[in-house]
Amino acid sequence: MVEKKLPARKTAKAVNVVAAPTPTVIKAAMQRFTKLSKSMPTKRGASSRGQDFNEIYGEFNPAEAQAQAARCAQCGVPFCQVHCPLHNNIPDWLMLAASGRLEEAYQVSQATNSFPEICGRICPQDRLCEGNCVIETGFESVSIGAIEKYITDMAFEQGWVTSPEPRQRRDSRVAIVGSGPAGLAAAESLCSLGHQVTVFERADRVGGLLIYGIPNFKLDKSLVTRRTELLAAGGVEFKTNMAVGKEISLAELRSDYDAVLLATGVYRARTVELVGRSLEGIVPALDYLIANNRAGLGDRLEKSLDAKGKRVIVIGGGDTAMDCVRTAVRQEAKEVTCLYRRDRENMPGSQREVQNAEEEGVHFEWLSAPEGFMAVGSGSRVGAVAAHRIHLGVVDGSGRQVPTPIADSRFIQEADLVIEALGFDAEDFATEFGTRDLAVTRSGTIQTREGKATSLPGVFAAGDNVRGASLVVWAIRDGRDAATEIHSYLQSHSRSLAAE
Ligand code: FAD
Ligand code: SF4
Ligand code: SF4
């Protein structure tokens, strides 16, 4: 800060005026990356965190957050921002946080992100903003995600986060189908623009995969309900236990509302059709995670989906697989193994999550693929997985090495619970919504043209159901973009009605 003393005038007292810092002054206060190494909020020790479902990362204290934010080089072309799906204005909020101007930092951060406290916790930053921070090479990146989380947690603590407050209320009514991050982000934007928003959700709770997929140790559920309560206070109406296509038809929504947004995600679990797959004790990842998240929210946990005392094998190498192995550890499984057909370097899951799993005692069988499931004696319960070793062969058209089985490498791994975490495909949306006029792509996702508009007039789509299984930050981006398009559509629609 530069303080200038104004020359005293005869009639007035001398006053101290704080001049706005110049870009040179700001730069000098920043760029601390050569002097200060990257740090992250304290991570709880593996043995303690393995005993509960609480979040594993703590919070920066104000001095740490300020110092870490000041590591930013304030790049002219910030690659962190380019590679953030929301194009968050990262250098600006880092500069404001480094100067202790947290309320302004929050205002800048929330201008582009509907739920920064959620992204700060669960974005795979190593693949997005932080992985593209220019000081990553040579020095470690700025701790962007942790600072984003700190700014928004502080904003909630200080009462700066409010429910959407439209300047003008409009008559237009929008139905949103699905209350995951895409639906919630769209609801927030549309409500702020003054539209009347109703969210239809087939589950009994609002939040989509934020509430029922992602485990509490990555994202505390109270953060999701805090957001949905703010939306409800701002006028968003939530109708739970309302599956569109069952309890109410898409046709009814189209006639009752001025626009409809489909934000329904993708839920068809991929499977491996192997010998013995119908044995009891082989379950899809999402069934397992939903049951555990429900138990955390007070529902009863089905015994068949409880890993306590069991030998657990999780098949797959993505983030869902990592969530399953880490959940099994917390459920006090006897042993937990992850079976993945590629090696560590080639797994799709975030390296940070693999490291967390390893620290928590998960055993990884890299380069291994299942070939069948074996029963306990002549019974109907699974007792083991037969698998073989894999060699990564030549690179195929997708740019990845093809996994090839190694001859005579069969091995048996005992298991009482096998969890399949092999990804998700789109369900048959045309059947679900009772209309063949809803165009879908070859992979089954909803086809959009001109942005988020579907083939049905007045019906838009956003999130995983368009993109395929993706990330929360992309769902937020899609939901916000859809809201902007729906707003323009409703405005031009009301103009043309008025002109008739
Ligand atoms: P969803 O979150 O799936 O929400 C769709 C909603 O629509 C659901 O509530 C569903 O019940 C509802 N619905 C569906 N059909 C109907 C209908 N007919 N009528 C009414 N309601 C309906 N991403 C990250 O960025 N970081 C992570 O750490 C991460 N971890 C993940 C862990 C797991 C286990 C999974 C499965 C995914 C994870 N993801 C993560 C991905 C992320 O959760 C999704 O990309 C994101 O939630 C997609 O948002 P969405 O709003 O499109 O769909
Ligand atoms: Fe990084 Fe995600 Fe935040 Fe963007 S939203 S700055 S990618 S943590
Ligand atoms: Fe700061 Fe890194 Fe972004 Fe550059 S790339 S502006 S150093 S956070």
Side-chain angles (χ1 to χ4, degrees):
M1 274 295 174
V2 177
E3 287 198 342
K4 277 191 192 156
K5 207 164 209 180
L6 288 181
R9 281 194 286 167
K10 276 184 192 150
T11 50
K13 276 190 189 166
V15 285
N16 286 330
V17 173
V18 180
T22 62
T24 324
V25 172
I26 293 169
K27 280 224 162 184
M30 303 289 290
Q31 301 182 337
R32 295 288 153 114
F33 62 94
T34 52
K35 302 186 184 79
L36 180 69
S37 1
K38 176 177 185 170
S39 76
M40 288 290 284
T42 322
K43 183 159 75 167
R44 295 167 60 211
S47 57
S48 124
R49 68 184 196 239
Q51 287 169 24
D52 61 47
F53 284 88
N54 298 333
E55 284 190 0
I56 72 165
Y57 292 99
E59 191 83 271
F60 276 138
N61 67 41
E64 281 168 337
Q66 226 169 319
Q68 286 296 313
R71 292 184 68 244
C72 169
Q74 296 288 288
C75 306
V77 181
F79 283 105
C80 55
Q81 181 170 5
V82 173
H83 289 272
C84 164
L86 291 160
H87 299 314
N88 281 343
N89 195 343
I90 300 165
D92 278 9
W93 48 253
L94 285 175
M95 184 272 288
L96 289 163
S99 327
R101 293 157 61 183
L102 283 184
E103 188 167 359
E104 291 160 86
Y106 167 68
Q107 293 304 344
V108 176
S109 147
Q110 64 84 48
T112 52
N113 190 351
S114 316
F115 313 122
E117 75 286 11
I118 294 179
C119 293
R121 284 172 165 82
I122 57 167
C123 270
Q125 286 104 9
D126 51 347
R127 284 188 263 145
L128 301 171
C129 53
E130 293 183 20
N132 289 282
C133 171
V134 290
I135 62 171
E136 171 74 2
T137 28
F139 303 88
E140 282 185 293
S141 72
V142 177
S143 325
I144 301 171
I147 297 168
E148 187 177 29
K149 162 179 176 269
Y150 168 80
I151 293 169
T152 324
D153 287 351
M154 183 59 80
F156 269 104
E157 216 176 289
Q158 298 294 324
W160 302 330
V161 188
T162 54
S163 45
E165 288 160 16
R167 270 195 242 142
Q168 169 197 0
R169 293 265 174 206
R170 300 168 200 269
D171 293 336
S172 37
R173 301 173 74 228
V174 183
I176 297 179
V177 186
S179 66
L184 292 180
E188 208 228 13
S189 301
L190 286 164
C191 182
S192 305
L193 289 163
H195 302 286
Q196 295 176 40
V197 180
T198 306
V199 179
F200 292 83
E201 170 54 60
R202 70 179 170 192
D204 55 348
R205 290 185 178 95
V206 170
L209 290 173
L210 297 177
I211 208 92
Y212 278 143
I214 301 169
N216 205 73
F217 51 82
K218 277 166 58 183
L219 176 67
D220 194 291
K221 302 300 158 206
S222 65
L223 305 178
V224 184
T225 36
R226 181 171 69 178
R227 277 290 178 185
T228 52
E229 280 164 11
L230 276 179
L231 291 178
V236 174
E237 186 185 9
F238 289 102
K239 291 190 181 215
T240 50
N241 296 310
M242 282 294 271
V244 173
K246 279 192 187 146
E247 272 73 36
I248 187 166
S249 70
L250 179 58
E252 282 172 88
L253 290 189
R254 291 181 71 198
S255 81
D256 292 352
Y257 291 83
D258 300 299
V260 178
L261 173 67
L262 302 175
T264 50
V266 285
Y267 284 87
R268 193 152 56 87
R270 290 188 196 137
T271 56
V272 272
E273 285 311 326
L274 300 175
V275 179
R277 203 186 150 263
S278 57
L279 290 169
E280 287 163 38
I282 303 173
V283 300
L286 205 50
D287 288 9
Y288 175 67
L289 292 172
I290 290 174
N292 186 69
N293 278 320
R294 279 190 173 283
L297 290 161
D299 299 351
R300 206 172 55 82
L301 178 61
E302 263 179 64
K303 209 166 169 355
S304 63
L305 296 170
D306 186 354
K308 190 177 168 89
K310 295 179 183 162
R311 295 159 301 176
V312 177
I313 293 186
V314 176
I315 302 171
D319 283 336
T320 302
M322 293 309 103
D323 289 349
C324 291
V325 289
R326 298 179 65 205
T327 296
V329 168
R330 284 158 176 79
Q331 286 184 340
E332 298 176 32
K334 194 170 163 193
E335 61 186 41
V336 185
T337 305
C338 177
L339 209 65
Y340 181 54
R341 62 189 181 146
R342 296 176 193 271
D343 54 14
R344 190 190 175 119
E345 288 67 45
N346 288 291
M347 71 183 297
S350 148
Q351 289 299 319
R352 183 177 65 183
E353 295 307 307
V354 182
Q355 192 192 334
N356 284 335
E358 279 179 335
E359 286 169 6
E360 288 165 15
V362 174
H363 171 68
F364 284 81
E365 285 288 352
W366 303 112
L367 295 165
S368 305
E371 58 181 43
F373 304 102
M374 299 154 85
V376 183
S378 56
S380 57
R381 274 208 69 82
V382 71
V385 176
H388 52 252
R389 302 287 177 200
I390 293 285
H391 161 74
L392 288 181
V394 289
V395 174
D396 67 6
S398 71
R400 300 185 80 191
Q401 284 176 283
V402 179
T404 322
I406 297 175
D408 302 327
S409 64
R410 192 167 194 262
F411 66 99
I412 308 290
Q413 179 94 26
E414 293 184 335
D416 312 301
L417 178 64
V418 177
I419 303 170
E420 289 180 323
L422 300 162
F424 303 92
D425 287 320
E427 35 275 83
D428 180 353
F429 289 120
T431 304
E432 185 175 359
F433 295 123
T435 169
R436 291 281 142 205
D437 294 336
L438 180 68
V440 293
T441 63
R442 281 173 69 183
S443 60
T445 52
I446 299 177
Q447 196 166 50
T448 51
R449 43 176 196 186
E450 297 165 26
K452 307 291 175 207
T454 69
S455 53
L456 301 174
V459 179
F460 298 76
D464 278 5
N465 65 5
V466 174
R467 206 175 265 287
S470 179
L471 293 173
V472 168
V473 65
W474 277 114
I476 295 173
R477 165 74 193 271
D478 292 347
R480 291 170 68 93
D481 287 353
T484 308
E485 280 184 41
I486 292 171
H487 178 61
S488 310
Y489 165 81
L490 292 172
Q491 282 194 313
S492 59
H493 205 60
S494 63
R495 270 198 300 273
S496 52
L497 282 178
E500 275 171 17

